[in-house]
Amino acid sequence: MLTGPSSRLPCNYASGRGCEREKLSGAMTNDPQTSGPANPAASARGAELASDYTVSLHYDQRLYKQDIAGSIAHAHMLSKQGIIGEDDADQIIVGLGKVKAEIESGDFPWKPELEDIHMNVESRLFELIGDVAGKLHTARSRNDQVSTDTRLYMKQAAGDTVMALRTLQEAVVAVAEANLETVVPGYTHLQRAQPVLLAHHLLAYFEMFDRDATRFAAARASADVMTLGNGAMAGVPYPIDREFVAKELGFSAVTTNSMDGVSDRDFALEYLSAAAISAMHLSRLAEEFVVWSSEEFKFLALGADYTTGSSIMPQKRNPDFAELARGKTGRVYGNLFAMLTTLKGLPLTYNRDLQEDKEGLFDSVDTLLATLDVTTGMISGANFNADRMRQAAESSYVLATDIADYLVGKGMPFREAHVIVSELSDKLIDGNRYFKDLSFEEYEAASSLFGRDVMEIGVDSSIASRDVLGGTAPGRVKSAIVEAKARLQEAGK
Ligand code: ARG
């Protein structure tokens, strides 16, 4: 039998039919308790809006695989426990396979009026296998179902995000390794501060992405707890085997309080907050790409694939990809705040507000994965201008700290040395000169502690002197690269 009597389903259950009275909230009924709508036409329009208003199918249809996998595992368990017959379960499972095939081939007759993915799948199952489809929803509610589907999805998404971060980290390490000798001014307040190796600068981002990966792994662990079996919110009155379903679906654990289970969206918040932090890191890197590729800096040229021309100015190679990576951060932050705000006033347990968990979550997943991908390409394809960077480091006052440290080496208290070198710097800045232009006589005039060896201080000696754990000395940066590679290997890269 191929057509199911979907109209026999309860109102607003799978057919969407027979629900008018409830859907229209009394406005279109002859309920003697109400006086009827003042404006029937406006009210009819309101009814149409009201149903559109509740639809989530356009975004939750991406959960179809999880929904079908969840239903198959549930059907297996129901028959194993003798709650439904084995034949019934077999029919349901075969039918669900057909539903999946239809969705994947594009033949699935989507019905937005059925509101969400769960109703669409179940209603189609009715059409394909008939009344027996009605046994699938035994001992289950859409409340535990939707949460399990979303958790399954988020486990995958968080895992994908970790992998995308690892790929980006790999690219960062490769570019760092290729720039082990490239010198660049390090900045504070966007003022040239002290010389560093470009590799050291880039590896700072490796660390940020490493922490991000740890946060996404934690978000994945939070999602890795199954809610099926919570029912609507109190548990279910059947001898179900939750551990069996969890195992079938690859969950590490099951929730321990049904009321918390159906209303908990912490796993979503954890992904969203990890995404907000990671987007912030990507935005900082993007900002450096924008600034460094400007004509003022010219520290790098972005690959042609990552710039766009201007419709009016023929000379332009705009860093649009970096700008969008920076710009999209706002939306990723917004998604976190939207979710926090949706949750803040909700009484236990399920409230329809919770349907609002998905759109922003999916948007953050998509945006972040795309930004990670673009950033990986952008950093791998960037052409760093080593000469320009070295020149920027040398034509500046970045050696001032080293010269003060020289005096400290001769026994002067650091604060005193700071004053002397600060005065020297002022004098140089006024004369439009740099430390390398200072004669030994000028040093001597500033302090008798200066010896001729002060003339040997340069950007390379400055970098070499930062030989502490976490410092920019070449040996330390080389070890940092070795360690970074080991961390990636440990992470399965
Ligand atoms: N589409 C709904 C959601 O995403 C499914 C759960 C509906 N449950 C309910 N009691 N209305 O939350």
Side-chain angles (χ1 to χ4, degrees):
M1 170 162 137
L2 283 179
T3 50
S6 49
S7 59
R8 275 193 230 155
L9 290 166
C11 163
N12 196 16
Y13 185 71
S15 74
R17 271 180 261 140
C19 304
E20 287 70 18
R21 199 182 158 91
E22 272 174 68
K23 277 203 167 174
L24 306 189
S25 333
M28 297 293 286
T29 69
N30 295 322
D31 188 337
Q33 304 289 311
T34 62
S35 55
N39 177 349
S43 185
R45 171 75 191 126
E48 196 185 299
L49 274 178
S51 63
D52 285 354
Y53 195 66
T54 58
V55 174
S56 56
L57 182 63
H58 50 291
Y59 54 85
D60 67 20
Q61 68 185 176
R62 77 160 75 186
L63 296 177
Y64 82 88
K65 268 191 200 146
Q66 291 76 12
D67 196 67
I68 290 171
S71 288
I72 290 175
H74 184 66
H76 269 146
M77 182 278 291
L78 290 177
S79 91
K80 178 184 87 72
Q81 298 297 100
I83 300 168
I84 66 172
E86 236 173 80
D87 284 358
D88 293 344
D90 288 348
Q91 282 189 61
I92 288 170
I93 290 163
V94 170
L96 286 167
K98 285 188 189 149
V99 171
K100 188 171 176 211
E102 283 187 352
I103 294 176
E104 290 179 346
S105 66
D107 294 333
F108 188 88
W110 293 107
K111 292 183 185 155
E113 65 275 19
L114 296 181
E115 287 192 350
D116 59 24
I117 181 65
H118 326 292
M119 294 304 204
N120 268 267
V121 168
E122 200 178 338
S123 159
R124 184 65 186 144
L125 189 64
F126 263 95
E127 287 171 7
L128 292 173
I129 68 169
D131 278 349
V132 68
K135 299 195 174 185
L136 173 60
H137 211 55
T138 314
R140 188 177 75 172
S141 153
R142 265 194 300 162
N143 298 352
D144 53 0
Q145 185 181 358
V146 68
S147 142
T148 292
D149 290 2
T150 313
R151 284 165 176 270
L152 275 175
Y153 180 88
M154 290 317 297
K155 279 177 64 181
Q156 176 73 40
D160 290 349
T161 310
V162 171
M163 285 322 287
L165 277 161
R166 297 302 185 202
T167 304
L168 172 56
Q169 286 181 291
E170 239 179 354
V172 170
V173 174
V175 178
E177 199 165 24
N179 284 284
L180 258 171
E181 286 176 4
T182 310
V183 171
V184 66
Y187 290 79
T188 62
H189 312 271
L190 204 58
Q191 314 271 329
R192 292 175 198 172
Q194 292 172 337
V196 292
L197 293 179
L198 176 58
H200 192 55
H201 186 117
L202 293 172
L203 288 175
Y205 286 96
F206 179 93
E207 299 295 338
M208 297 180 220
F209 300 139
D210 218 42
R211 294 193 295 273
D212 290 341
T214 305
R215 273 183 282 270
F216 283 110
R220 187 186 180 283
S222 289
D224 193 16
V225 187
M226 191 195 73
T227 52
L228 275 178
N230 289 332
M233 59 101 181
V236 295
Y238 296 91
I240 58 170
D241 183 347
R242 297 188 66 202
E243 277 78 14
F244 173 86
V245 180
K247 201 158 175 238
E248 290 263 292
L249 293 174
F251 280 104
S252 302
V254 299
T255 50
T256 46
N257 178 294
S258 63
M259 297 181 78
D260 176 49
V262 293
S263 60
D264 166 34
R265 293 296 183 273
D266 290 1
F267 66 95
L269 282 177
E270 286 173 42
Y271 184 94
L272 288 167
S273 60
I277 296 172
S278 190
M280 174 272 289
H281 291 149
L282 291 162
S283 184
R284 292 182 74 174
L285 180 57
E287 166 70 5
E288 299 213 305
F289 279 138
V290 171
V291 172
W292 283 18
S293 65
S294 70
E295 213 167 324
E296 284 70 17
F297 271 77
K298 269 198 192 141
F299 280 7
L300 62 84
L302 289 166
D305 290 351
Y306 294 95
T307 57
T308 53
S310 152
S311 56
I312 179 167
M313 298 166 282
Q315 85 283 12
K316 292 301 279 294
R317 299 286 175 272
N318 293 326
D320 294 34
F321 284 74
E323 290 171 299
L324 282 168
R326 191 178 59 187
K328 286 173 189 287
T329 305
R331 197 150 37 83
V332 176
Y333 287 1
N335 291 334
L336 169 63
F337 256 78
M339 189 70 224
L340 281 168
T341 311
T342 294
L343 293 170
K344 78 174 267 291
L346 293 189
L348 286 174
T349 54
Y350 180 86
N351 300 272
R352 190 62 178 270
D353 316 45
L354 290 173
Q355 179 171 293
E356 288 294 313
D357 63 351
K358 285 176 276 300
E359 232 174 338
L361 192 54
F362 295 162
D363 179 56
S364 281
V365 172
D366 294 346
T367 305
L368 194 64
L369 288 176
T371 305
L372 286 166
D373 197 38
V374 161
T375 307
T376 301
M378 205 155 46
I379 197 162
S380 304
N383 259 313
F384 291 92
N385 187 340
D387 292 344
R388 173 89 181 172
M389 290 180 174
R390 177 174 273 276
Q391 192 202 350
E394 281 175 351
S395 313
S396 72
Y397 305 92
V398 293
L399 298 176
T401 324
D402 299 86
I403 292 161
D405 287 331
Y406 174 95
L407 290 175
V408 171
K410 301 281 175 188
M412 186 183 281
F414 182 78
R415 290 291 177 205
E416 208 177 303
H418 189 281
V419 173
I420 289 176
V421 180
S422 173
E423 281 166 6
L424 266 179
S425 300
D426 286 345
K427 181 173 148 190
L428 288 172
I429 292 167
D430 285 348
N432 215 3
R433 297 190 302 153
Y434 301 108
F435 282 104
K436 66 177 162 56
D437 305 323
L438 264 184
S439 66
F440 177 60
E441 289 66 35
E442 286 173 290
Y443 272 119
E444 246 189 337
S447 167
S448 58
L449 290 180
F450 280 120
R452 287 218 167 257
D453 53 347
V454 71
M455 304 303 283
E456 280 153 33
I457 295 177
V459 292
D460 297 300
S461 69
S462 166
I463 289 171
S465 71
R466 263 75 190 174
D467 192 11
V468 290
L469 183 65
T472 191
R476 298 291 180 171
V477 177
K478 270 185 207 141
S479 318
I481 286 178
V482 171
E483 210 232 315
K485 285 184 178 171
R487 275 197 251 168
L488 284 176
Q489 204 171 7
E490 204 180 310
K493 261 286 170 190

